[in-house]
Amino acid sequence: MEQTALNKLAALRRVVLGLYAATVAAYAAAVALILVDLGAAVWVVNITTVLYLLVVRTLDKRYDRAFARSSLTMSCQRRLSLFQVEDKGGLTREDIQAGGLFPVRAEGKSLVCGMAAEGQAEELGVRICELTAYCEMAGEKRKLGLLSGLWMEVRLAGDAGMRLTLVQHGALDPDTAAPFYGGQGLSRLPLLEEALRDGFTLYGDEAGAKGAARFARRCVPLALQAAKAGCKLMLSLRGDSIHVFLTGRSLVFRTPIRGRLTPEIAGWDRLPELPLLLDLAKETAPRKSAP
C-alpha cells in the first residue's frame, strides 16, 4: 500500500513538473515572437498565464495535499492503528467547546476545518484537524477574532477526575482568557515548572490543583516542541480527554517538487507532536486497578 501511494504521488509530481516546463517554454516562445508578431506574443502570454493560474497552480496545490496525506499516513501508521486521513475534517462547535480552550462563536459560522486525521493508539482515540475558529473576544462591544492552527484531541481510557488548562502567553487575548476560564470554574494555579513558568499560565479546578505540578511537568516536552515549531500552545485536560491547539501550525504547506522522491522523503515525520501527546495521555490516564 505504501509503494502504491508513493507511485501515485510520483505520477502527480511528474505531471506538475511537465506543466511547469510547458509554461516556461510557452513564455520563452512568447519572447521569441515579440520581434515577429507582437499581437501573437501577447496572446500567448495571456493564454499561458490563464492556464498557469487555473491548471498548473491547482495541480501544484493538489500535489501539496497529496504529499501531506502520504507523509502523514506513512509516519503516523507507525503509532496509530485504524489510521485515516481526510481532506476536510468534521469538527463541530460542540467539540471545540468541550475542550474549553477558547470561546468559539456561539451563533453563525464558527469553524472552518482543513485536513484531518484520526486513529487509535491502544485504548487512546486520536483526532487531528487543521482549524480556523471564529472566537468571541471580551470587551464592551462584541468582537470576533480568528484563531488558526492545528487541533489535536486524545480520548483517554478513563476519567482523570480533574480539569486543567495550560495556556501560553500570547495564544489568547489576556482580557478574554481570564473571564473565559473563570467562567468554567477554573482558577489560576501556581506554575512552578521552570521551563513553563515565564511563558505560560495554568488554570484548574480543586481536583486539578492537587495534580497540577505533575501534569505541568509532563507537558514540558510538548511545550518545547511547540516553541521549536514557532507555535503557541494551548492545552487542556477535561476528565477523559486531552485537547491541544497549536496556533499557526498546519499539516499542508508548500512542498518542493524538485529532487528525487523516495520513501524517506515522503515519509518524514510531519507530526512530531503526536508521540509527545500520546506519552502525555498515557501518563495522565487513570491507572487500572488490579482485579
Side-chain angles (χ1 to χ4, degrees):
M1 182 178 293
E2 180 176 306
Q3 188 58 47
T4 301
L6 193 60
N7 290 340
K8 291 181 179 179
L9 187 62
L12 180 57
R13 173 176 170 271
R14 286 193 294 269
V15 171
V16 175
L17 283 171
L19 288 173
Y20 270 115
T23 301
V24 172
Y27 280 125
V31 172
L33 274 173
I34 289 177
L35 299 177
V36 180
D37 189 337
L38 181 59
V42 171
W43 272 104
V44 171
V45 169
N46 290 340
I47 293 173
T48 302
T49 301
V50 171
L51 290 176
Y52 170 75
L53 294 174
L54 296 181
V55 179
V56 182
R57 286 190 57 175
T58 299
L59 287 177
D60 199 355
K61 292 179 180 179
R62 185 181 299 177
Y63 178 76
D64 290 342
R65 299 188 71 83
F67 192 99
R69 287 195 299 271
S70 295
S71 60
L72 266 177
T73 301
M74 293 169 70
S75 60
C76 291
Q77 276 184 339
R78 305 166 193 164
R79 302 182 178 94
L80 299 176
S81 60
L82 305 176
F83 185 75
Q84 296 180 342
V85 180
E86 299 176 351
D87 284 337
K88 187 174 182 180
L91 284 176
T92 65
R93 181 188 288 113
E94 290 71 26
D95 293 328
I96 305 304
Q97 290 173 335
L101 288 175
F102 46 80
V104 69
R105 187 181 187 182
E107 297 178 356
K109 187 175 183 179
S110 56
L111 306 174
V112 177
C113 295
M115 180 170 283
E118 63 178 53
Q120 197 79 17
E122 297 177 356
E123 295 182 330
L124 304 175
V126 179
R127 285 202 299 176
I128 304 157
C129 186
E130 291 179 325
L131 176 68
T132 296
Y134 295 81
C135 301
E136 294 184 347
M137 314 302 284
E140 294 183 2
K141 296 183 179 180
R142 185 180 181 185
K143 297 185 296 182
L144 290 178
L146 283 179
L147 279 179
S148 294
L150 187 64
W151 176 273
M152 303 175 70
E153 176 185 337
V154 177
R155 186 71 60 178
L156 308 179
D159 195 326
M162 55 184 172
R163 293 188 298 156
L164 288 163
T165 299
L166 182 68
V167 183
Q168 189 168 359
H169 299 165
L172 187 64
D173 174 53
D175 293 332
T176 301
F180 176 66
Y181 299 128
Q184 300 176 40
L186 306 180
S187 57
R188 187 168 178 171
L189 302 175
L191 188 53
L192 305 178
E193 192 64 36
E194 185 175 354
L196 305 176
R197 186 186 307 150
D198 296 331
F200 289 81
T201 301
L202 181 64
Y203 300 87
D205 59 4
E206 186 175 347
K210 299 177 182 178
R214 183 181 300 175
F215 183 74
R217 184 167 60 252
R218 292 169 176 169
C219 292
V220 170
L222 198 54
L224 294 177
Q225 175 58 42
K228 183 179 179 181
C231 304
K232 296 288 187 182
L233 171 67
M234 306 170 73
L235 186 151
S236 70
L237 168 63
R238 290 290 185 278
D240 65 347
S241 59
I242 294 176
H243 307 265
V244 171
F245 189 71
L246 297 164
T247 64
R249 184 72 165 81
S250 177
L251 295 175
V252 181
F253 43 84
R254 193 75 178 87
T255 304
I257 60 173
R258 285 186 168 185
R260 186 181 176 189
L261 184 62
T262 64
E264 290 75 22
I265 292 174
W268 69 278
D269 192 357
R270 186 169 290 248
L271 199 58
E273 297 88 354
L274 178 59
L276 303 178
L277 179 57
L278 291 177
D279 288 343
L280 173 62
K282 291 174 182 177
E283 293 170 351
T284 305
R287 299 182 182 277
K288 292 183 178 180
S289 56

